[in-house]
Amino acid sequence: MDRIKKKEKETVKLNKKLSYISKQNVKYLDQEQQGYIIPDEGEETNKLNQEAIKDLLPNYNAENIFSLTLPKGPFKLDYSANGKKMLLSGRNSSAVMNWKSKEMISEVVLGDEDKIRGAKFINNDNMFALSQNENLCIYDTQGIEIHSLSQHSNPMFMENLPFHYLLAWSTKNNYIKYLDYSIGEIVSEIKTKFAEIKCMISNPQNSVIITGHSNGTVNMWTPNYSGEPVVKFLSYPCSVSNLSIDPTGNYLMTTGLDKKLKVWDLRNNYRQVHDYFTPHQAQCMGISQKGLLAVGYKGNVEIWKDIYKTKQQKPYLKHHFQDKQIYASSLKFIDYEDFLGIGHNKGYSQIVTPGSGEPNFDTYEVNLYETKNQKKNSNVKKLLEKIPYTMIAMNSESLVNTVNANSKQVIKHQEKESLMNKANDLVKKEKKKMRLSNKERHDLILKELDHIEGKKKKYRSILERNHERIAGERETIKDELNVLQKVDDDFDPELNLVESNGEDNEEYDD
């Protein structure tokens, strides 16, 4: 026992030393600081345009402020985890390119009848998914179609859950489906049973899917809890148009058709923290790694700083398009860079947003300078460390209530659910009874009375039989008692039996 106590004390001391050393290392490693625009007295940052900021930047950053005019918009954006590759999708075509060198890596062109509704990078930018009119297709980086989900039609919004190797998307029929692209199987399908889904995002902290509906409700879904949402609350009296969530997963930003931008605290009973008015109806939103929020409407894009911490009076930056007919359709900040990508109806634009990207990166999570061999090894390592979808829950810090998918508890729960679903399918729904006339009601009442009287007759006949049987038993008992009373008190039944036996023997001898 003494040895065990000594070892425990030594381990506690070592843990304290390691924690102290790790804190010091973080101080030394996190030397880069994010840079914001600090105005002078009487100046406002929202009045600065991109040309004024471009003159103050070095050449290698100033070159990344550009715009492309492209046909067949509007265009939607997505970037890889390390921020190097860009996926740009138009009405019926999509392209993967390196936005720094402006080189195209691959291109996919569909027919004029097909329409692309969304695009997402999956599997560490080795593949990308396109939601089309009839089906959902997955392509590699060379633009070759790998997989086509023809059975799952009308996909709308998509979200990638990289730690679980899941691709979640919503359909026109208000279904939410989860595809495990490491094995190519659908692991969960949820029928929302609510109004039409207008927007969908995922919480980066716990991988919970959040949807906004046309009736103003916001719902949260997990693949292992089908049937009803995990959380549901009313955010607007009108339709929800856009959703965005901060990287910590604590604050949710929503916009509605009533030109209001609301901030919700997901930790404090989903309470509203702040609300803002937008000049026009917001068409898209995007949030950066450091919490800058971009809101696009008509020909303008506003960028807000610390919008959920304190009530802001003015935006941090503003960008106006020279062409008034341009409207933003997709906003996406580039990770680990201070740039914002804007997809609009006439092409693509990229502006600088100081302080939006994370200046310090973790090579164990995302390596910005990885080689081909390192990328292969990281893909294998991430696949081995894949988290099962059954562990997705609202509280990501404590996984007490979650278990492994191969455990007996989950298997029993799935078997019970399958049996219940089969039983519900077998049960026929009762037909609704039509309203009856007075005559029909009178006839039904008479039938019920006749039925009751028949039952009464049966019970009466049974009771009469029981009374007759009991009366007969009583009469037999009375007769027996009368016989016993007539017998003398000196009567001995044993002597009577002996005498009767002797008489019988004498008759036999004769």
Side-chain angles (χ1 to χ4, degrees):
M1 293 296 291
D2 294 334
R3 291 179 181 177
I4 294 168
K5 288 180 180 179
K6 286 181 181 179
K7 287 183 179 179
E8 288 179 353
K9 289 180 180 179
E10 290 177 357
T11 52
V12 169
K13 287 181 180 179
L14 285 171
N15 290 327
K16 287 181 179 180
K17 287 181 180 179
L18 289 171
S19 64
Y20 178 74
I21 292 167
S22 63
K23 287 179 181 178
Q24 285 186 340
N25 290 333
V26 167
K27 289 180 181 178
Y28 290 118
L29 292 172
D30 292 343
Q31 291 182 354
E32 298 292 334
Q33 295 180 358
Q34 63 189 90
Y36 290 109
I37 298 174
I38 302 173
D40 295 332
E41 292 183 1
E43 292 183 352
E44 295 180 358
T45 56
N46 57 5
K47 293 183 179 179
L48 291 173
N49 56 14
Q50 291 295 310
E51 294 179 357
I53 300 172
K54 188 176 181 179
D55 295 336
L56 302 174
L57 295 175
N59 291 329
Y60 61 87
N61 280 332
E63 291 175 356
N64 293 323
I65 301 173
F66 63 95
S67 61
L68 300 172
T69 55
L70 302 170
K72 297 182 180 180
F75 289 86
K76 296 185 178 181
L77 301 172
D78 193 31
Y79 294 95
S80 59
N82 56 11
K84 288 185 177 180
K85 294 180 182 178
M86 178 180 67
L87 177 61
L88 184 64
S89 298
R91 188 184 305 164
N92 57 0
S93 63
S94 63
V96 180
M97 60 181 294
N98 188 338
W99 61 272
K100 284 188 176 180
S101 61
K102 284 80 174 176
E103 294 180 358
M104 185 181 293
I105 299 170
S106 65
E107 185 179 9
V108 176
V109 180
L110 305 177
D112 294 334
E113 296 179 356
D114 296 328
K115 183 180 178 181
I116 297 174
R117 295 169 177 167
K120 276 285 177 184
F121 273 118
I122 59 175
N123 193 19
N124 195 15
D125 70 45
N126 292 323
M127 298 183 291
F128 62 92
L130 297 178
S131 60
Q132 303 172 13
N133 280 342
E134 297 180 355
N135 54 7
L136 188 142
C137 296
I138 297 174
Y139 300 85
D140 62 359
T141 51
Q142 296 178 356
I144 300 170
E145 184 178 331
I146 299 171
H147 194 44
S148 177
L149 300 173
S150 58
Q151 297 177 354
H152 306 277
S153 59
N154 297 322
M156 294 296 291
F157 305 100
M158 292 190 299
E159 284 295 327
N160 180 29
L161 309 178
F163 299 108
H164 308 273
Y165 276 75
L166 291 178
L167 177 66
W169 74 92
S170 64
T171 64
K172 246 185 179 180
N173 301 326
N174 293 334
Y175 275 91
I176 297 174
K177 301 183 180 183
Y178 292 84
L179 170 69
D180 189 343
Y181 50 81
S182 64
I183 57 177
E185 290 183 359
I186 302 291
V187 296
S188 180
E189 290 186 14
I190 302 171
K191 175 66 175 175
T192 59
K193 299 178 183 178
F194 285 93
E196 184 183 356
I197 298 173
K198 291 295 185 180
C199 48
M200 187 177 80
I201 59 169
S202 62
N203 193 331
Q205 290 298 318
N206 51 20
S207 299
V208 173
I209 295 295
I210 307 172
T211 56
H213 298 261
S214 59
N215 59 355
T217 58
V218 175
N219 300 326
M220 300 183 187
W221 308 87
T222 59
N224 50 11
Y225 188 79
S226 61
E228 292 184 359
V230 182
V231 175
K232 178 177 68 173
F233 64 92
L234 183 65
S235 58
Y236 291 94
C238 56
S239 175
V240 182
S241 58
N242 293 287
L243 294 171
S244 186
I245 191 166
D246 74 315
T248 61
N250 296 329
Y251 295 95
L252 177 69
M253 279 65 73
T254 61
T255 59
L257 298 180
D258 57 353
K259 301 178 184 179
K260 281 186 180 181
L261 168 64
K262 296 182 180 180
V263 182
W264 306 84
D265 190 353
L266 302 183
R267 302 166 297 176
N268 190 8
N269 295 325
Y270 310 98
R271 183 175 58 87
Q272 182 180 335
V273 181
H274 306 295
D275 60 341
Y276 301 86
F277 285 94
T278 57
H280 302 280
Q281 181 185 337
Q283 295 168 343
C284 52
M285 280 199 304
I287 196 163
S288 71
Q289 290 178 313
K290 303 305 289 184
L292 294 183
L293 181 70
V295 184
Y297 55 88
K298 275 197 175 181
N300 300 321
V301 175
E302 290 183 351
I303 300 161
W304 294 79
K305 177 185 172 185
D306 298 332
I307 192 170
Y308 47 83
K309 292 181 180 178
T310 56
K311 180 75 173 179
Q312 301 295 322
Q313 301 297 327
K314 296 178 183 178
Y316 172 57
L317 289 173
K318 275 187 180 181
H319 178 66
H320 303 278
F321 293 105
Q322 294 180 357
D323 189 355
K324 294 182 180 180
Q325 295 180 355
I326 293 176
Y327 62 89
S329 57
S330 178
L331 296 173
K332 191 81 175 178
F333 285 93
I334 304 175
D335 291 343
Y336 306 103
E337 298 284 349
D338 289 346
F339 291 97
L340 171 65
I342 305 170
H344 48 80
N345 58 337
K346 291 190 176 182
Y348 170 78
S349 298
Q350 190 167 293
I351 62 174
V352 64
T353 54
S356 62
E358 175 64 47
N360 303 291
F361 62 91
D362 187 1
T363 55
Y364 288 100
E365 185 178 356
V366 177
N367 189 0
L368 304 183
Y369 308 104
E370 64 182 358
T371 60
K372 291 183 179 180
N373 291 328
Q374 288 176 346
K375 190 173 183 179
K376 290 179 182 178
N377 294 331
S378 66
N379 289 334
V380 174
K381 187 179 179 183
K382 287 178 181 178
L383 187 60
L384 293 172
E385 294 175 350
K386 175 181 137 180
I387 303 171
Y389 72 93
T390 53
M391 299 181 74
I392 296 175
M394 285 297 296
N395 190 1
S396 60
E397 295 179 357
S398 61
L399 297 173
V400 178
N401 296 325
T402 56
V403 289
N404 193 5
N406 297 323
S407 66
K408 294 180 180 179
Q409 294 179 2
V410 172
I411 292 167
K412 286 182 180 179
H413 182 65
Q414 290 176 354
E415 289 177 354
K416 284 182 180 179
E417 283 186 349
S418 62
L419 290 172
M420 288 294 291
N421 291 328
K422 288 179 181 177
N424 291 327
D425 293 336
L426 292 172
V427 173
K428 294 181 179 179
K429 293 182 179 179
E430 294 182 357
K431 294 182 179 180
K432 293 182 179 180
K433 295 181 179 179
M434 302 296 291
R435 294 185 68 181
L436 303 174
S437 62
N438 293 330
K439 187 178 180 181
E440 289 174 346
R441 288 179 185 175
H442 183 68
D443 294 336
L444 285 173
I445 291 166
L446 291 175
K447 285 181 182 179
E448 289 178 358
L449 290 173
D450 293 337
H451 184 64
I452 292 165
E453 286 179 358
K455 286 184 177 180
K456 284 181 179 180
K457 287 179 181 179
K458 288 181 182 179
Y459 289 130
R460 283 171 185 171
S461 62
I462 293 166
L463 290 172
E464 288 176 356
R465 289 174 188 173
N466 289 330
H467 286 304
E468 290 175 358
R469 182 176 56 79
I470 292 165
E473 289 177 355
R474 286 178 179 175
E475 289 177 358
T476 53
I477 291 166
K478 284 180 181 180
D479 294 338
E480 291 176 357
L481 289 171
N482 292 328
V483 171
L484 292 172
Q485 287 176 1
K486 292 177 181 180
V487 177
D488 297 333
D489 296 335
D490 297 334
F491 177 75
D492 190 355
E494 292 181 357
L495 292 172
N496 191 10
L497 288 171
V498 172
E499 288 177 358
S500 62
N501 288 329
E503 291 176 357
D504 292 336
N505 290 328
E506 286 177 357
E507 290 176 359
Y508 181 75
D509 292 337
D510 294 338

